[in-house]
Every structure is written in structure tokens, then in C-alpha cells.
Amino acid sequence: MVLSHYIVHSLSHDIVGISLCAAFPSGMDSNTVPADVRWAIANWPEDAERGEVSRFCQRQGISRSVFYKIRRQARELGPVGATEPGSRRPLKSPRRADPKVIEHALAVRAWLVEQGLDAGPLSVHAKMKRQGLNPPSRATLARVFAAAGVSRPEPRKRPRAANRRFVYPAPNCCWQIDAFAWSLADGTAVAIHQVIDDHSRLALATLVAEGETAKAAVKVVSTAVRRWGVPQRLLSDNGLAFNPTRRGFTGKLVDYLIDLGVKPITGKPDKPTTQGKNERFHQTLQKWLNARPPARTISALQTLVNEFDAYYDHERVHQALDGKTPMEAWQATDPAPAPTPEPRLPQMPPSARLTANSAEAEPQPKSRAPLALHPSVGIIDLKVKQNGQVKVLSCLLYVATSRAGQTVHVIWNETTVEIFADDGEHIISYPRPATTGLYYGPRTPAGTPMKGAGHNPSAGSTGTATRTVSKGGYIGVHANKFYAGYKRQTEQVTISWDTTVVTPTDADGTTIAQYAKPDHRRGWHGPHRQVRSTKS
């Protein structure tokens, strides 16, 4: 009878305990228990009534296992120690990086820095992967390098998501060329010319020369052409050695490219980001060279840059190429076909040219003589200088030293320049200057050339000049463009003007066209249009 009563009482107690424990989860983290509740548990009386623990846990919303876990902490650490949350670190971290792998990653980074190579997390990850290892992620390597104090945090650096990268679709679609200054061991300045492929970032050719010259530019590009074929475009800056067309004339490299059918293109002035791939390539080579002793000669420096190009093309993976080397990216896509060069007129051989001493040779005016664009008639008020002179039509005209500081009125037409006082009194007259840089005075009423001054024809009066027809069929004079016919490209034509008309004629003296004389700069004049240019 007593035994049966004990069994029933025990079962009822277990059922109540199970129901109370089911009211709150058993896996709740003890670190989330408030400090006052932990303090009450740490100081729990040993003689508490039966079932009081379950009722306390139910009121506080914790499980019995959390209760007894805190009790164990109180016995081990004391009541105060039990009120502080413990570490949340798991007992096991199966995905934690192996310390040996971390140590090897630090060693790889140190080696890359010693060699003067990029040593960021992505570079270390790529190097370890090519060694046959299973490296940690880029984020893990970044945290490891920061913890070890070997990396420099750059919070102001623009995130990668902000980059807007443009890449040509295939190799040989576009090349880039640029050069930078470098010094030999004795301080001699040299220039390193680099040509890369826009699509694959392949280092096509590198040349060390005495300076940034057109001869060196043609040499390095021709070397790249022999190795890799002819590109469709070549991008460069507006330097004189590469592409000076924005300055109003051509260059050796431009002529060489046009003969191959390559289209030379340039970035905007003072915008080096257009050639950003090549500018970044300079930085990689410079870091690599700085990690080595300075070269004593140009040939020694050329050997160093050739060694770098081999490493860059075949071993160094590129972040912009999804972890591939430039050579792997080049081989992944078929190169673009070579362009078809347009036919150009052959140059006259030297044997067919007239010599300067030949009787048949006639003096020819300069093909590109500068012209002073002055209006045919005009009036202006000027202040007399301390030496009694005024500057008119790019010439100096003497008035009188007694009138220094006074304002005079200068009136000119096609033949005469007249100077009047402020009250209308006629002071002096001079003939209209035919060129710039002349001085007119009492002893030189016809004008005399001044030392150091340019003597250019004045476009405001009647004159003649010889011009070469451009590829588009235009000739330039008076700071304007006049159409002479695209079939006459590269021909020499004579252009003459008077007060109202500009007339170009061919070598036979036949009039090509007649245009109204412009009264503004940068205009385009042709058979069906006479408009101002929108280009600066």
C-alpha cells in the first residue's frame, strides 16, 4: 500500500515537472538572462521548497537547464562572477582557418612585398591558389592582415562597386600607349614606353629610351605589331610624341598608324583617366622596379622591364580578369581582324624633287605661315605709353612723348593709319603695316622690323598664301576653314584674299571657289554652308 502511494506521488511530480519545463525552451542561451535574475539564481537558498525552482523559471521565462547552469557558475566563480555573461564562442569552429594556412598567407604576402608586387588580399589569394592550396576567402585574409598589422586601412578608398569599367570586346580592338620618366643609377633621366591591350591587359611591348620621342613611340608600337598583329585603334594622350592632332598638326606615330589602317584616338586634355589602364600599369611596374637596385644603363633597365613583362603576362593574375592572367585572357577570345588600310598617295622620291640650286626651282611661300587676323578697317581708343608709342595692328607707332598718358583715337583702312587727339586734332599718319612686328616713327615713316618680334603677314589687307589640302578637303587661312575638294587632298593650292573675297586656286591657276571674307574666327566655309565652328 505504501509502495503504490510512493509510485503515484512520484509520477505526479514528474508530470508536473515535465509540463512546467515544456512551457519554456530548454535551449535558451544563459547569456541573455538579465543580471538581477542571475543574481537571484546565484544566491538561491539551499532549503527552498520543492517545486520552487520550476515556478521561478516559469515566472522569468527561462528553462531549468539555464537555471542550473548559472548555479554551477556561481559555485565556480562566485555570485558576482555568475552575474556576468560568459563568452558566446562556440566550443568547436569547423570552418575556422587553419593557423598554419594563416601563417603561410602572411609569408606569401611578405614575399610579394619584397618582390615589389601587389600584396593585397586578392593577390595573396591568387598566389596561394596557384600554389595548389585552398586559401581562405578574401575577407578572411583582409581580417588576418589587419589583425597582424601588416595592412594599411584605407576607409576613404572608393568601393569597387563604384567603378564603371569599359573594356573592348576582343584583343586587338584597341591598344593603349603611354610613357613615364625614370632615372638610372647615376641620375640620368630616361623614358619607359609601354603598350598594352585594352581587352586582356597584355603587356604587348615595353621600350626604354633616352626620352619620350616620336621615334621611340613608333619603335615600340612596331615591335608590338610584329609580335601580336595590327590593332584596330590606338589610344594615347595628346603628347607631341604620340598624337598631336588636337594641336593642329600630325606626327610620325599618327602617320605610321594611318599607313597600317589603325585609327589613332586620344583622350580629352588633362583627363588621364581615359588612359587609366595604362596609368595603373605604370604604377605596377614602378613598384616592381623600386624593389630592385637601380639599373646603371638603358640596356640593363630594358632587361629588367622585359623580366617584369614576362611575369605580368604569364604569372600575375589580374583582378579585372576574374583571376586570369593577361595571357590567359588573350587566348580566351579570338583577336579582332586587322584593319584594311586606306590607299594613300605615294610620296615624291628625292630624285624627282627640284633642288634649291636648280634653275627651275622657284621660291615658294611657307606652307603654314601664321597670319595676323586684323580687320580691314577699324577704330580704337588707346592710351599713349611713357615712351610716346601706341600698339596698333601688332605694330608700334610713335605719337609723341609729350602726349604720354593721353588717350588718342586710331583709325585705319586698307592703306593708312591715322592718329587723332581726344579733341579731334590730327596728330600723325602712317601707311598701313603689311606685316606685324614693325616700328613706325619720325625717322622710319615706312616702318622697320623690330628685333625679336614675329613678322607675319597681316590678314586684314590683300595677301596670298600656300596651303596643303587636308584629308577632308579643307584648307586653313584667316583662322577659318575653306573647302577646296576632297579629291585634292595633299595637293598644294594658293589662296588669295582682298577686302571682301577669299579665292583658292589650284596649281594650274584655275579658281576653285570664291568665299566671302570672314569677320570671325573658327568658321567652316563650303559650297552649301558657311557656319561657325562649335569646336574650341
Side-chain angles (χ1 to χ4, degrees), residues 99-115 118-119 123-124 127-128 131 133 141 144-145 148 150:
K100 294 183 179 180
V101 176
I102 298 301
E103 183 179 356
H104 183 76
L106 291 171
V108 170
R109 188 187 186 282
W111 180 84
L112 291 174
V113 172
E114 182 182 355
Q115 296 296 315
D118 294 333
S123 300
V124 174
K127 186 65 177 178
M128 294 178 65
Q131 291 176 345
L133 302 176
L141 290 174
V144 168
F145 296 159
V150 296

Side-chain angles (χ1 to χ4, degrees), residues 496-513:
S496 57
W497 61 91
D498 54 23
T499 57
T500 58
V501 179
V502 176
T503 306
T505 56
D506 59 15
D508 298 331
T510 304
T511 300
I512 299 174

Side-chain angles (χ1 to χ4, degrees), residues 181-202:
W182 198 252
S183 298
L184 300 179
D186 60 356
T188 303
V190 296
I192 301 179
H193 301 70
Q194 293 180 299
V195 182
I196 65 170
D197 179 66
D198 184 275
H199 172 80
S200 64
R201 308 294 183 89
L202 189 72

Side-chain angles (χ1 to χ4, degrees), residues 468-486:
T468 302
V469 182
S470 68
K471 188 176 180 180
Y474 284 89
I475 51 178
V477 73
H478 293 268
N480 282 259
K481 297 291 185 179
F482 298 90
Y483 187 71
Y486 71 94

Side-chain angles (χ1 to χ4, degrees), residues 183-515:
S183 298
L184 300 179
D186 60 356
T188 303
V190 296
I192 301 179
H193 301 70
Q194 293 180 299
V195 182
I196 65 170
D197 179 66
D198 184 275
H199 172 80
S200 64
R201 308 294 183 89
L202 189 72
L204 304 170
T206 304
L207 176 67
V208 182
E210 295 180 352
E212 183 178 319
T213 62
K215 181 179 179 180
V218 173
K219 185 175 181 180
V220 69
V221 172
S222 62
T223 301
V225 168
R226 288 194 303 270
R227 293 176 181 174
W228 307 101
V230 182
Q232 294 183 348
R233 294 184 175 187
L234 181 73
L235 172 64
S236 69
D237 58 22
N238 298 277
L240 294 174
F242 299 135
N243 194 334
T245 52
R246 288 180 184 264
R247 303 170 186 256
F249 54 92
T250 184
K252 291 183 179 180
L253 180 60
V254 174
D255 293 338
Y256 172 74
L257 294 173
I258 293 177
D259 287 338
L260 295 177
V262 181
K263 182 179 181 180
I265 58 177
T266 64
K268 291 183 178 179
D270 301 324
K271 295 291 184 180
T273 51
T274 307
Q275 301 84 240
K277 297 182 179 69
N278 218 331
E279 298 289 349
R280 179 62 179 85
F281 188 37
H282 293 342
Q283 177 183 336
T284 306
L285 175 56
Q286 291 167 0
K287 185 188 298 184
W288 191 85
L289 290 175
N290 283 327
R292 285 154 179 77
R296 296 181 178 275
T297 62
I298 289 181
S299 59
L301 183 57
Q302 184 68 56
T303 302
L304 283 177
V305 297
N306 290 343
E307 179 184 348
F308 169 80
D309 285 353
Y311 171 81
Y312 183 88
D313 287 343
H314 299 276
E315 297 185 38
R316 180 185 181 275
V317 296
H318 207 292
Q319 298 177 13
L321 301 177
D322 298 329
K324 292 183 288 188
T325 65
M327 180 57 70
E328 292 171 348
W330 175 282
Q331 295 173 347
T333 307
D334 293 334
T340 303
E342 297 182 2
R344 301 183 70 184
L345 295 176
Q347 295 184 354
M348 182 181 297
S351 58
R353 301 172 186 168
L354 294 176
T355 62
N357 298 327
S358 173
E360 301 179 6
E362 297 181 1
Q364 296 291 334
K366 289 180 63 176
S367 174
R368 205 58 180 156
L371 297 175
L373 187 61
H374 297 140
S376 301
V377 296
I379 182 172
I380 189 172
D381 294 341
L382 296 174
K383 188 176 181 179
V384 182
K385 299 180 181 180
Q386 292 297 323
N387 57 7
Q389 301 172 0
V390 292
K391 188 174 183 179
V392 182
L393 302 175
S394 301
C395 295
L396 291 178
L397 281 67
Y398 181 81
V399 181
T401 54
S402 59
R403 296 184 179 272
Q406 297 181 12
T407 300
V408 296
H409 305 285
V410 182
I411 303 174
W412 70 88
N413 55 27
E414 286 295 327
T415 60
T416 309
V417 178
E418 297 180 299
I419 302 176
F420 296 87
D422 197 21
D423 57 0
E425 177 189 358
H426 181 268
I427 301 175
I428 195 170
S429 298
Y430 293 107
R432 165 71 181 259
T435 64
T436 63
L438 299 179
Y439 171 75
Y440 291 81
R443 298 182 181 180
T444 56
T448 182
M450 294 186 294
K451 275 188 178 181
H455 308 292
N456 304 320
S458 176
S461 59
T462 303
T464 303
T466 301
R467 293 289 183 265
T468 302
V469 182
S470 68
K471 188 176 180 180
Y474 284 89
I475 51 178
V477 73
H478 293 268
N480 282 259
K481 297 291 185 179
F482 298 90
Y483 187 71
Y486 71 94
K487 293 184 179 180
R488 293 188 177 91
Q489 57 178 300
T490 71
E491 291 184 8
Q492 293 281 331
V493 300
T494 301
I495 185 167
S496 57
W497 61 91
D498 54 23
T499 57
T500 58
V501 179
V502 176
T503 306
T505 56
D506 59 15
D508 298 331
T510 304
T511 300
I512 299 174
Q514 283 190 335
Y515 301 101

